[in-house]
Amino acid sequence: MRRTLTILSLLLTALLLAVVVRCLFVTQYRVTDTDGDALRAGDRVLVNRMAYGWRVPGERWWGYSRVGSGQPVRGEYVAFYDPSLYGPADRRPVRVGRVVAVPGDTLWFDVRRCTLLPGRTTTDARPIPVPGAGSRVGVTAWNARLLWNTLRRHESLHVVLVSDSALRFDGHRLDSVCFRQDYYWLSGSLGYGLVPASALVGRAFCVSYSLNDSLHVGRRFRTDRFFLPL
């Protein structure tokens, strides 16, 4: 009987430690076919939840807060709550994307083809500044919709989009807008665009394993992607 109780206590302790590690330090997410870049559908990605500060659970009750801080760098893979949906962040799907630009960077946009450019490579290229906390961004005809969507979703500022090319607030036309948090431009097949710091979960650092769900059960494992660093 004593041996049985010892084994059960060890198993319970191991389970408790696993739960603590998953909630506080490292967790795993499944990459879907919309998550993109070098990642593949079916990848299971390990995420360091402490990399950008630990998110305090229970956001739906007492709001968003972090313990500690940190910032993503260009080229890093990050996990984040889908910013295109409404509702508490911790109830939205988690996506994975690569950081293309950080606060203070400027991206160039081809207004004719509606695509991002690697730089100012055409005369039609227009700048898209990536805002940071406290930064001010000018409102132009080509970034008005992007700013309107960002301010409305993530800054709780109820601005009005006028003719898809200008912004108004409280009856006045806005020449520029100020942001309260940092933003990051993330790539992926969904075309994520600007993602606020408040949506970040942590840094994705490794593919633990990968499954191809379209194959037979015995052949689903992609052995070449086991513990693949990102």
Side-chain angles (χ1 to χ4, degrees):
M1 181 66 177
R2 182 177 297 178
R3 179 182 176 86
T4 302
L5 289 176
T6 301
I7 293 174
L8 288 175
S9 64
L10 288 173
L11 290 174
L12 183 61
T13 301
L15 178 61
L16 181 61
L17 286 174
V19 171
V20 170
V21 169
R22 182 178 177 85
C23 292
L24 299 184
F25 301 106
V26 177
T27 191
Q28 179 173 274
Y29 294 104
R30 179 179 180 273
V31 176
T32 69
D33 59 356
T34 57
D35 284 328
D37 259 358
L39 297 173
R40 299 171 65 178
D43 284 351
R44 271 60 174 182
V45 176
L46 296 178
V47 174
N48 177 2
R49 298 180 66 91
M50 305 292 290
Y52 314 129
W54 177 65
R55 296 181 72 108
V56 178
E59 295 177 30
R60 69 196 73 175
W61 296 293
W62 44 73
Y64 161 76
S65 63
R66 287 185 189 271
V67 177
S69 61
Q71 294 182 325
V73 299
R74 295 180 204 88
E76 224 170 49
Y77 285 87
V78 299
F80 58 97
Y81 293 112
D82 192 332
S84 67
L85 303 176
Y86 288 102
D90 57 357
R91 302 199 68 175
R92 302 198 299 258
V94 173
R95 309 296 184 189
V96 181
R98 184 174 57 85
V99 180
V100 174
V102 298
D105 288 348
T106 297
L107 298 169
W108 293 91
F109 188 74
D110 187 327
V111 293
R112 290 188 178 181
R113 298 176 180 83
C114 294
T115 57
L116 282 178
L117 300 170
R120 193 175 187 179
T121 56
T122 72
T123 56
D124 295 323
R126 297 292 183 266
I128 301 290
V130 180
S135 67
R136 186 167 290 278
V137 176
V139 180
T140 63
W142 58 84
N143 72 6
R145 174 168 284 276
L146 175 65
L147 296 179
W148 168 73
N149 189 59
T150 303
L151 292 166
R152 183 170 52 95
R153 287 181 180 274
H154 311 306
E155 299 280 330
S156 299
L157 185 62
H158 300 292
V159 296
V160 177
L161 181 65
V162 181
S163 302
D164 215 36
S165 61
L167 297 179
R168 285 187 178 275
F169 179 72
D170 198 23
H172 302 285
R173 181 172 177 142
L174 299 177
D175 295 321
S176 63
V177 292
C178 189
F179 292 83
R180 292 181 293 183
Q181 60 177 318
D182 289 334
Y183 288 82
Y184 301 87
W185 194 283
L186 301 183
S187 70
S189 57
L190 275 179
Y192 299 125
L194 289 176
V195 174
S198 60
L200 301 181
V201 175
R203 181 172 65 86
F205 64 91
C206 176
V207 177
S208 57
Y209 69 96
S210 183
L211 296 177
N212 187 339
D213 295 331
S214 65
L215 298 180
H216 186 270
V217 173
R219 303 180 63 186
R220 286 184 179 179
F221 282 98
R222 300 185 180 112
T223 56
D224 61 326
R225 297 187 69 77
F226 279 27
F227 298 104
L228 183 69
L230 296 174

